[in-house]
Amino acid sequence: MKRGLAAALLAGGVLSAPAVANAQDDGKTITAVMHSGLRVLDPVITTAHITRDHGYMIYDVLTAVDENFEPQPQMADWDISDDKLTYTFTLRDGLKFHDGAPVTGKDVVASLNRWGKRDSGGQMIFDVTESLEAPDDKTIVWKLSEPFPPLLNVISKQSAVPPFIMPERVAETSPDEPITEYIGSGPFVFNKDKYEPGASVTYDKFEDYVPRDEPPSWMAGGKTVKVDHVVWTTMPDNLTAMNALAAGEIDYLEQVQVDLLPVIENAPDVTVEMRDPLGFVTIGRPNFLHPPFDNKKVRQAALLALSQEDVLATMMGSDKYYKVCGAIFGCGTPLGDESGSEPITTGAHPEEAKKLLEEAGYDGTPVVLMQPTDVVSLTNQPVVAAQALRQAGFNVDMQAMDWQSVVQRRAQQNPPSEGGWNIFFTNWMVPEISDPLINVMVNGRGDDAWFGWPDDPEIEKLRDEFARAEDQEARKAAAVAIQKHVMDNVNYIHLGEYNMPQARRNSIQNMIPSPVPVFWNMTKEAE
Amino acid sequence: MFGYILKRILATIPVMAIVAVFVFLLLRLTPGDPAAILAGDAATPAQLERIRDRLGLNDPLHIQFFTWIGQMLHGDLGTSLISSTPVAGMIGDRLGPTISIAIMTIIISVLLAVPMGVIAAWRHRTWVDFLVMSFSVLGFSVPVFVIGYILIQIFAIELRWVPVQGYAPLSDGIGPFLTRAILPSLTLATIYVALIARMTRASMLEVLGEDYVRTARAKGVRENVVLFRHALRNAAVPILTIIGTGFALLISGVVVTESVFNIPGIGRLTVDAILARDYPVIQAMILFTAGIYVFVNLIVDVSYSFFDPRIRY
């Protein structure tokens, strides 16, 4: 038996001798392991991050945010009329789709129309749109019935659904139907033949792409591709991905699970670092339809009972990777403000919470708290929260289930005793919550709001003020008012910020630090 | 023989039909919403409802069932709800890696395990027997992912003989194919060597006491001929059964091994589909797996007659 085993092993060894050749160490192909496999290819129909990342590979955008959150020209420059009602965009020269056709105003109009039906910010712009037309191949004229100052911010955003520009024939697909042709005018071409949903996707450099002259900054500036191919390969096993990175079989790991960091921290030729200065937030969302969280005082008690520090420490393990932060629009963002967040940022206050519960006349109604057990980044928050709520006198019924069950159940408006729920937890990237028009948790339109359905006219008034604010100062004032309102009314429980480190081979250089992982500007030396 | 095979094939129809109904109902009773996976976390209930409508998920169950069965009868496995790609193509893409690893595993297992089992039976109750049985218990008790990680640590990370992960089709050349397939196959083989060696030993022990073995030995036939040509042939039926079932098992679900070695195979496809509640993919995969079992069992049954001439159909 031993001889047989040795022979088999030897056969493997001899065939690969003298050492394993890395098939892709020619410096022309970057192999990356992203946070998830790519399954949905239509970046307008889904808000999934991986699909948005895919969108930035193959599509371009009219305008894009730079690292100061400022909109910058990308495919087009703009001009705003004095009455702030007409936006004229002029496409720059040399824009071409991957099939060779030039990008025209008609393509832009069709793409914006489709996007506007899906995106909540887009819907708000189209609510005040009088016309959106392309008088010639290079020009797009967007006429509004009333000023909408944040228009450029909304169309320049990088999350959740950026308005990617597609050929007119593709953009004419119904917004509820996924597109079937994946042609953009972005820096990479989608290689359809090498695509295996959820397993592997290959992008080739688009030779005809003409980058802007400005230096790259987040999603703005020159997108100069310096490699021939980028391959995203899915590795469901984190340890395998780390071993593959250490062995030089892959070049880039978008997210490293913090508890596995010791495996590669000391590996030669590998650098572990933060890609994205903003990171993620974790939140708890109460259900406003049913007792006990239909009562503001009970929600406030829950806020007092919980502690950001306790939740984050349990979630991440090391304080290098999390930050107690009371700003619902994110710390370090232009609208980030921590007003009124003391109940949650200064630790748990079970005694005060108890008192408030008594005042509220809480009768021990069970709180159904959903715990997903199959998503590493979401499985600990509910456990910590349940314990904290119990200590404050809540009668907690924690129910374990898979994430899919949470996703289905959170859409149920029934009472908790009939298949409904009281509270669940999830995570967002900071750019997805960084302003009141895109942060779905501050939507207070009752049944039309996000799961939890708060009917909150006051917050809607504040959001409207924000949308109409003409300058940054007025915008910030409205955002601070929303921050205070959310902390007082507890529209959701902001549980702080965390960050996931990335890892790369040292042969990869010149990565742009940004919330969306981008592969332009990046270089790779042969190893 | 032909009539027997035809009868067996026809008998699979009701089996598959029952599996189809069962799978369909089971999936619809499991909570989960493919529309939510498709639309992402920020989708509003109204958006989800529109997507569900488009996917036909709001149709009554019987309509959904008959639409699916109708598709199946036309040889159409449907389209993935999540990736909008044809399910048949997805299975086709993932089948190559899984079948390659399964065949290699079975070859390694049979080459190692059958001689091990024969020798253990021949040297019954000696240290050789003890060694083989100890290995079997060990191979069965240690989880595959542990074996996988140990093999990766030794052969990929320390010795750097083979890559850590990945799959290369045979079209890339025999070298790349073997260097990538060898570790996952060896990992899986530890279980199957254990299984097949035990079965071979037990089966051989039964026939070694038979009269014809004693007669052959008395006639002066060489011991290896007695063991491998006379005895093993008569002990083959249960061994074949276990090899066949093992092969079907390998094809239907080597999820852990596929994950540890990053092989884009059928096991991972199925688990991904289940996590996303991608009904057409799950349904097709379960029917496909059932089909594999039926087919492999048929092959095993037919092959009995080649080893044991007393079996006639």
Side-chain angles (χ1 to χ4, degrees):
Chain A
M1 156 225 141
K2 277 182 180 164
R3 205 183 295 159
L5 190 64
L9 289 177
L10 202 63
V14 168
L15 285 163
S16 62
V20 181
N22 184 348
Q24 286 154 354
D25 66 359
D26 54 0
K28 305 284 187 203
T29 301
I30 292 178
T31 308
V33 172
M34 306 300 280
H35 65 275
S36 153
L38 179 67
R39 294 176 181 85
V40 185
L41 292 177
D42 184 345
V44 172
I45 209 163
T46 183
T47 56
H49 294 152
I50 191 70
T51 305
R52 173 207 56 190
D53 301 348
H54 157 79
Y56 274 110
M57 296 294 277
I58 69 171
Y59 300 104
D60 215 341
V61 281
L62 278 191
T63 61
V65 280
D66 64 10
E67 59 191 33
N68 302 313
F69 288 85
E70 288 296 330
Q72 300 293 345
Q74 188 48 244
M75 292 168 85
D77 284 295
W78 64 83
D79 187 55
I80 307 172
S81 66
D82 291 341
D83 60 4
K84 310 268 196 289
L85 291 176
T86 306
Y87 287 67
T88 308
F89 296 89
T90 312
L91 292 175
R92 64 188 166 94
D93 292 332
L95 296 174
K96 241 189 224 180
F97 284 114
H98 300 152
D99 59 359
V103 179
T104 67
K106 278 184 183 165
D107 301 310
V108 176
V109 169
S111 300
L112 289 174
N113 275 326
R114 182 167 189 262
W115 163 82
K117 294 200 177 74
R118 295 288 312 192
D119 182 70
S120 59
Q123 286 163 358
M124 291 174 83
I125 303 177
F126 277 91
D127 282 348
V128 295
T129 292
E130 211 167 76
S131 65
L132 174 62
E133 282 162 357
D136 61 60
D137 277 357
K138 290 255 172 206
T139 316
I140 300 103
V141 179
W142 202 335
K143 284 194 176 143
L144 307 179
S145 54
E146 53 181 280
F148 190 85
L151 186 141
L152 286 173
N153 298 69
V154 171
I155 64 166
S156 305
K157 65 172 185 169
Q158 54 197 323
S159 257
V161 181
F164 294 116
I165 304 303
M166 307 173 176
E168 188 184 21
R169 63 175 186 282
V170 179
E172 276 170 350
T173 312
S174 149
D176 295 319
E177 193 116 350
I179 56 170
T180 52
E181 199 185 347
Y182 315 105
I183 286 185
S185 63
F188 289 95
V189 179
F190 173 69
N191 189 326
K192 203 173 179 185
D193 296 336
K194 291 189 180 165
Y195 173 56
E196 276 186 60
S200 169
V201 50
T202 300
Y203 301 98
D204 305 325
K205 178 183 180 174
F206 180 34
E207 298 291 348
D208 288 346
Y209 184 80
V210 184
R212 291 192 72 87
D213 296 330
E214 299 91 341
S217 170
W218 276 9
M219 300 298 110
K223 301 175 178 177
T224 311
V225 176
K226 296 173 177 168
V227 291
D228 289 344
H229 312 281
V230 173
V231 178
W232 290 358
T233 175
T234 314
M235 289 196 196
D237 188 274
N238 281 298
L239 194 54
T240 303
M242 296 215 184
N243 283 332
L245 185 76
E249 289 167 34
I250 59 168
D251 303 302
Y252 172 72
L253 193 52
E254 188 196 350
Q255 290 183 356
V256 181
Q257 209 176 302
V258 172
D259 56 344
L260 290 176
L261 265 177
V263 178
I264 48 164
E265 259 174 341
N266 297 319
D269 307 320
V270 171
T271 301
V272 178
E273 64 199 345
M274 294 294 184
R275 179 195 81 237
D276 164 21
L278 294 175
F280 303 80
V281 297
T282 184
I283 65 108
R285 174 74 157 190
N287 188 342
F288 286 70
L289 299 183
H290 306 290
F293 291 137
D294 58 344
N295 181 331
K296 177 173 161 183
K297 275 199 175 161
V298 176
R299 294 197 299 274
Q300 286 173 331
L303 191 74
L304 277 165
L306 288 162
S307 150
Q308 283 197 352
E309 176 75 36
D310 293 351
V311 171
L312 292 167
T314 312
M315 222 179 129
M316 302 305 289
S318 159
D319 61 5
K320 249 168 92 180
Y321 302 106
Y322 69 80
K323 182 163 66 185
V324 169
C325 158
I328 60 164
F329 300 122
C331 284
T333 67
L335 302 176
D337 175 271
E338 300 198 68
S339 301
S341 63
E342 295 77 18
I344 187 83
T345 51
T346 52
H349 311 83
E351 294 309 320
E352 290 172 50
K354 246 183 211 162
K355 225 181 271 170
L356 208 57
L357 268 188
E358 262 171 49
E359 275 178 43
Y362 173 63
D363 58 356
T365 308
V367 174
V368 172
L369 183 149
M370 299 191 283
Q371 186 214 2
T373 50
D374 58 334
V375 179
V376 179
S377 63
L378 284 175
T379 196
N380 291 325
Q381 296 90 316
V383 179
V384 182
Q387 183 59 19
L389 291 173
R390 280 186 191 120
Q391 266 171 2
F394 281 94
N395 174 15
V396 179
D397 174 12
M398 186 166 81
Q399 299 187 7
M401 56 193 87
D402 72 340
W403 174 242
Q404 264 290 297
S405 302
V406 175
V407 161
Q408 192 190 33
R409 195 159 162 192
R410 71 177 179 185
Q412 304 288 326
Q413 296 195 332
N414 304 342
S417 54
E418 295 166 28
W421 54 279
N422 289 115
I423 187 166
F424 77 95
F425 298 82
T426 191
N427 304 325
W428 297 94
M429 284 182 81
V430 169
E432 290 171 320
I433 51 106
S434 63
D435 105 28
L437 298 187
I438 57 174
N439 184 328
V440 291
M441 295 165 296
V442 301
N443 181 320
R445 297 183 184 187
D447 273 357
D448 289 332
W450 198 60
F451 314 101
W453 310 281
D455 186 3
D456 187 350
E458 203 176 325
I459 207 167
E460 283 305 299
K461 217 178 89 206
L462 292 170
R463 285 175 78 211
D464 194 48
E465 261 171 45
F466 176 86
R468 288 166 192 277
E470 299 238 346
D471 54 35
Q472 185 59 17
E473 209 180 316
R475 263 197 288 275
K476 174 99 188 190
V480 170
I482 293 174
Q483 158 85 21
K484 286 180 183 159
H485 177 85
V486 166
M487 284 299 166
D488 176 60
N489 188 51
V490 198
N491 293 51
Y492 67 100
I493 299 172
H494 182 70
L495 289 166
E497 296 187 1
Y498 66 96
N499 217 326
M500 301 287 280
Q502 69 164 18
R504 62 173 165 87
R505 299 287 298 172
N506 292 341
S507 53
I508 298 282
Q509 294 286 335
N510 304 313
M511 292 185 72
I512 305 168
S514 89
V516 175
V518 294
F519 290 83
W520 50 80
N521 208 54
M522 200 186 267
T523 54
K524 184 185 173 188
E525 285 160 29
E527 283 191 51
Chain B
M1 173 75 101
F2 180 74
Y4 170 76
I5 293 175
L6 193 72
K7 233 190 284 173
R8 283 291 303 265
I9 291 173
L10 288 177
T12 62
I13 294 172
V15 174
M16 299 295 270
I18 292 168
V19 172
V21 176
F22 185 69
V23 165
F24 182 87
L25 289 177
L26 196 69
L27 281 179
R28 295 314 193 276
L29 292 175
T30 315
D33 183 2
I37 294 278
L38 190 61
D41 208 30
T44 61
Q47 279 171 345
L48 291 182
E49 205 51 29
R50 278 204 300 276
I51 295 178
R52 291 178 59 81
D53 263 344
R54 182 179 63 74
L55 296 177
L57 296 170
N58 285 335
D59 293 343
L61 268 192
H62 66 276
I63 303 260
Q64 291 188 43
F65 181 74
F66 287 116
T67 313
W68 172 57
I69 289 291
Q71 275 178 345
M72 286 288 176
L73 291 178
H74 286 94
D76 175 9
L77 297 186
T79 306
S80 156
L81 298 182
I82 308 298
S83 67
S84 310
T85 30
V87 176
M90 290 171 87
I91 295 180
D93 284 346
R94 302 294 191 93
L95 204 52
T98 303
I99 288 197
S100 310
I101 304 289
I103 291 177
M104 247 179 104
T105 304
I106 289 294
I107 291 176
I108 293 174
S109 307
V110 171
L111 288 180
L112 292 177
V114 172
M116 275 165 69
V118 171
I119 290 165
W122 180 48
R123 287 281 171 256
H124 186 40
R125 288 187 183 150
T126 65
W127 67 271
V128 180
D129 186 17
F130 174 74
L131 199 72
V132 170
M133 284 307 100
S134 307
F135 179 81
S136 291
V137 172
L138 199 70
F140 230 76
S141 323
V142 182
V144 262
F145 69 89
V146 174
I147 295 168
Y149 286 138
I150 291 173
L151 292 181
I152 288 176
Q153 189 61 36
I154 298 173
F155 296 105
I157 294 176
E158 301 292 337
L159 297 174
R160 298 191 55 100
W161 283 1
V162 289
V164 172
Q165 52 80 41
Y167 170 77
L170 256 177
S171 54
D172 284 7
I174 187 95
F177 169 76
L178 280 181
T179 50
R180 284 180 166 77
I182 188 80
L183 286 194
S185 305
L186 277 177
T187 304
L188 286 166
T190 50
I191 298 181
Y192 292 97
V193 165
L195 197 68
I196 298 170
R198 283 184 79 102
M199 187 51 83
T200 310
R201 175 180 174 272
S203 194
M204 283 293 283
L205 279 177
E206 253 176 52
V207 295
L208 280 178
E210 298 278 332
D211 288 348
Y212 66 87
V213 172
R214 202 160 6 103
T215 310
R217 279 180 175 149
K219 277 164 61 185
V221 177
R222 280 204 314 275
E223 189 63 11
N224 59 344
V225 177
V226 172
L227 283 177
F228 287 95
R229 201 169 295 166
H230 294 256
L232 183 59
R233 199 167 164 172
N234 283 290
V237 167
I239 303 173
L240 278 176
T241 313
I242 209 106
I243 292 173
T245 329
F247 186 71
L249 263 174
L250 279 168
I251 288 187
S252 59
V254 287
V255 183
V256 175
T257 312
E258 284 179 4
S259 289
V260 168
F261 292 96
N262 187 34
I263 298 160
I266 292 288
R268 262 175 64 189
L269 177 68
T270 312
V271 170
D272 278 357
I274 291 171
L275 290 176
R277 303 294 191 269
D278 196 346
Y279 300 138
V281 180
I282 309 172
Q283 284 160 185
M285 277 311 306
I286 293 178
L287 274 190
F288 175 76
T289 308
I292 293 257
Y293 272 92
V294 169
F295 177 72
V296 167
N297 272 319
L298 179 66
I299 299 280
V300 168
D301 280 357
V302 170
S303 65
Y304 287 163
S305 65
F306 292 105
F307 286 88
D308 190 342
R310 287 169 301 179
I311 298 174
R312 284 276 169 265
Y313 300 108

